[in-house]
């Protein structure tokens, strides 16, 4: 593996922009001898596409997707990654130590150490994990790192993660190595520019004929790739040729929002959670602090904060001095949730709440 440098210049047909992300990753890889780099972003912000682009540019990268059903448990992760390390770097390993009864964290650390010791000076071992927030923490001992990731790293070993927003104190990792977090929310202008470029590249003759409707559905400040991609696909497939669909969201996008909604509900919504959601979906809701929301719904601010923390992956945070304000991550999702709350919403069989 030669010295690595990632670039948007190696674009695939379906990928555009994100230069600021590649620059940050390159700087990290060349500044530190090892470490953990995390990309944080709300649903649909393009995290997975970025990681896929990294893999396309270097076939020696170990890639693991914890979002795939059945792949979010520590046993599956260690078995897959250890097997990949042995396959890709067998020439660098001590063959006498490769006969394992099973793959655990000690085997994982041993493989990383052996590969590190034998890599050429300009080479790097990179392991990518998509969907770190999806890890089943119940599949491992309490207090251990997610997926039993090493607290200490040997030189020339790097991990790159993608995950949704999370409370930093609940990150699930205790590490003693260089680390950097890139939050896509801190690059709103760059995100919007990349989305606009994505729209220009994806627009077909069919969607051009409906440009007026596209502009109605995709605001110039739009920065959510999932939403834009689904709308453009719906246009190209004729979904918006039907008059009854002109103000609707595509079915696949609705299914995506439904998954969010089910996760937000969990085992059922408390009265406080329902009232918080009413505020978050009201009108053209501007970012509000937990305290302001508690005043509106006449609930204890700590109860409101507990709800907000549970929903953090679906929220945007805005900091004004020491005050933190919140807003649902995406306007179309907010409108969709408002529709859910406009009538009787079934949380789970036999348990309903009135709006």
């Amino acid at each position: 593996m030669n010295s690595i440098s990632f670039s948007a210049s190696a674009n695939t047909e379906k990928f555009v922009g994100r230069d600021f992300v590649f620059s940050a990753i390159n700087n990290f890889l060349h500044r530190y001898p090892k470490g953990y780099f995390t990309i944080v972003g709300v649903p649909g912000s393009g995290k997975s596409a970025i990681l896929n682009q990294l893999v396309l540019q270097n076939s020696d990268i170990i890639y693991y997707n914890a979002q795939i059903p059945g792949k979010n448990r520590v046993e599956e992760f260690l078995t897959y990654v250890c097997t990949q390390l042995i396959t890709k770097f067998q020439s660098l390993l001590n063959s006498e130590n490769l006969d394992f009864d099973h793959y655990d964290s000690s085997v994982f650390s041993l493989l990383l150490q052996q590969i590190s010791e034998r890599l050429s000076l300009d080479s790097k071992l990179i392991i990518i994990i998509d969907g770190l927030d999806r890890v089943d923490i119940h599949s491992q001992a309490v207090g251990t790192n997610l997926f039993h990731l090493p607290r200490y790293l040997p030189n020339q070993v790097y991990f790159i993660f993608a995950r949704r927003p999370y409370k930093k104190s609940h990150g699930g990792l205790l590490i003693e190595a260089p680390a950097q977090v890139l939050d896509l929310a801190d690059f709103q202008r760059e995100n919007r520019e990349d989305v606009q470029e994505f729209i220009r590249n994806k627009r077909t003759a069919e969607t051009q004929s409906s440009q007026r409707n596209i502009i109605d559905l995709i605001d110039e400040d739009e920065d959510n790739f999932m939403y834009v991609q689904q709308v453009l696909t719906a246009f190209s497939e004729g979904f918006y040729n039907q008059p009854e669909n002109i103000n609707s969201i595509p079915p696949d996008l609705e299914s995506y929002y439904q998954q969010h909604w089910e996760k937000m509900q969990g085992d059922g919504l408390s009265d406080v959670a329902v009232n918080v959601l009413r505020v978050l979906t009201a009108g053209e809701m501007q970012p509000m602090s937990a305290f302001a929301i508690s005043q509106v719904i006449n609930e204890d601010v700590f109860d409101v904060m507990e709800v907000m923390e549970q929903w953090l992956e679906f929220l945007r945070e805005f900091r004004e001095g020491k005050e933190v304000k919140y807003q649902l991550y995406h306007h179309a999702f907010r409108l969709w949730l408002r529709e859910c709350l406009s009538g009787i919403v079934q949380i789970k069989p036999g348990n309903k709440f009135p709006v």
Side-chain angles (χ1 to χ4, degrees):
M1 186 188 299
N2 296 324
S3 182
I4 294 174
S5 182
F6 298 110
S7 171
S9 63
N11 285 344
T12 63
E13 181 182 351
K14 297 181 180 180
F15 189 89
V16 298
R18 324 311 274 164
D19 297 86
F20 66 96
V21 181
F22 294 127
S23 295
I25 293 173
N26 286 333
N27 291 339
F28 183 82
L29 294 176
H30 292 94
R31 179 178 181 182
Y32 299 105
K34 55 191 171 185
Y36 288 92
F37 189 97
T38 303
I39 301 170
V40 174
V42 295
S45 56
K47 303 182 297 298
S48 294
I50 292 169
L51 297 187
N52 288 334
Q53 187 70 359
L54 297 178
V55 175
L56 287 173
Q57 294 185 34
N58 195 297
S59 60
D60 285 324
I61 287 177
I62 305 292
Y63 172 81
Y64 192 84
N65 190 348
Q67 301 179 98
I68 298 176
K71 296 296 184 181
N72 65 343
R73 297 176 60 84
V74 64
E75 295 86 356
E76 285 82 0
F77 169 77
L78 290 174
T79 298
Y80 177 85
V81 172
C82 288
T83 301
Q84 288 294 303
L85 289 172
I86 292 172
T87 300
K88 289 179 179 289
F89 300 96
Q90 189 168 14
S91 63
L92 302 181
L93 296 169
N94 185 345
S95 59
E96 295 179 359
N97 295 329
L98 298 184
D99 186 17
F100 304 113
D101 293 330
H102 67 283
Y103 298 109
D104 57 19
S105 58
S106 62
V107 172
F108 186 32
S109 296
L110 173 64
L111 292 173
L112 294 180
Q113 186 63 48
Q114 283 196 13
I115 294 171
S116 168
E117 292 171 352
R118 295 167 174 81
L119 281 174
S120 61
L121 292 178
D122 64 345
S123 298
K124 304 178 191 303
L125 167 58
I126 298 176
I127 299 175
I128 286 177
I129 304 176
D130 194 3
L132 192 65
D133 51 281
R134 303 294 184 89
V135 176
D136 179 9
I137 60 175
H138 302 295
S139 69
Q140 54 190 80
V142 176
T144 56
N145 275 351
L146 295 175
F147 276 163
H148 289 174
L149 295 170
R151 180 174 179 176
Y152 304 96
L153 291 179
N155 285 335
Q156 297 169 263
V157 175
Y158 300 84
F159 284 84
I160 300 178
F161 307 134
R163 65 189 303 174
R164 292 177 179 179
Y166 62 100
K167 188 177 180 181
K168 300 304 181 285
S169 60
H170 297 163
L173 294 176
L174 175 61
I175 55 177
E176 299 291 338
Q180 180 177 335
V181 175
L182 184 147
D183 192 335
L184 295 175
D186 295 333
F187 298 86
Q188 292 189 19
R189 176 180 60 81
E190 291 86 349
N191 289 327
R192 287 195 296 269
E193 290 175 352
D194 287 344
V195 165
Q196 291 302 312
E197 182 181 355
F198 179 76
I199 294 172
R200 289 191 294 270
N201 288 357
K202 293 287 290 183
R203 186 176 291 163
T204 64
E206 183 174 357
T207 59
Q208 285 178 347
S209 67
S210 304
Q211 181 175 352
R212 186 178 196 178
N213 291 329
I214 290 178
I215 292 174
D216 289 340
L217 287 169
I218 303 178
D219 187 86
E220 64 179 5
D221 290 333
E222 183 59 64
D223 63 357
N224 191 275
F225 279 87
M226 172 68 75
Y227 175 77
V228 170
Q229 182 180 38
Q230 291 294 331
V231 170
L232 291 177
T233 299
F235 267 103
S236 67
E237 294 178 349
F239 176 77
Y240 288 107
N241 292 339
Q242 305 298 321
E244 64 271 19
N245 292 336
I246 196 62
N247 294 317
S248 302
I249 62 174
D252 287 347
L253 186 62
E254 184 164 14
S255 296
Y256 186 63
Y257 289 163
Q258 183 65 39
Q259 293 173 15
H260 297 348
W261 179 223
E262 290 172 0
K263 189 170 184 180
M264 291 176 72
Q265 292 180 98
D267 295 327
L269 295 178
S270 66
D271 291 341
V272 175
V274 172
N275 289 329
V276 169
L277 196 56
R278 287 186 178 127
V279 174
L280 292 175
T281 59
E284 296 299 323
M285 186 264 185
Q286 297 299 310
M288 293 180 65
S289 67
F291 177 76
I293 293 174
S294 72
Q295 294 295 295
V296 171
I297 64 177
N298 195 29
E299 298 283 358
D300 190 282
V301 65
F302 293 104
D303 293 335
V304 173
M305 276 302 306
E306 183 178 1
V307 171
M308 305 300 272
E309 289 177 6
Q310 292 173 353
W311 292 347
L312 202 56
E313 64 185 282
F314 305 114
L315 301 173
R316 291 186 187 273
E317 286 188 350
F318 302 86
R319 295 186 178 274
E320 296 181 4
K322 295 183 178 180
E323 187 176 45
V324 180
K325 296 183 178 181
Y326 301 91
Q327 186 180 50
L328 284 167
Y329 84 93
H330 181 55
H331 77 282
F333 181 51
R334 176 175 58 81
L335 295 177
W336 186 84
L337 281 179
R338 185 193 299 175
E339 289 297 315
C340 289
L341 293 174
S342 64
I344 302 298
V345 180
Q346 183 169 338
I347 301 176
K348 59 182 181 179
N351 188 4
K352 299 181 179 181
F353 67 86
V355 176

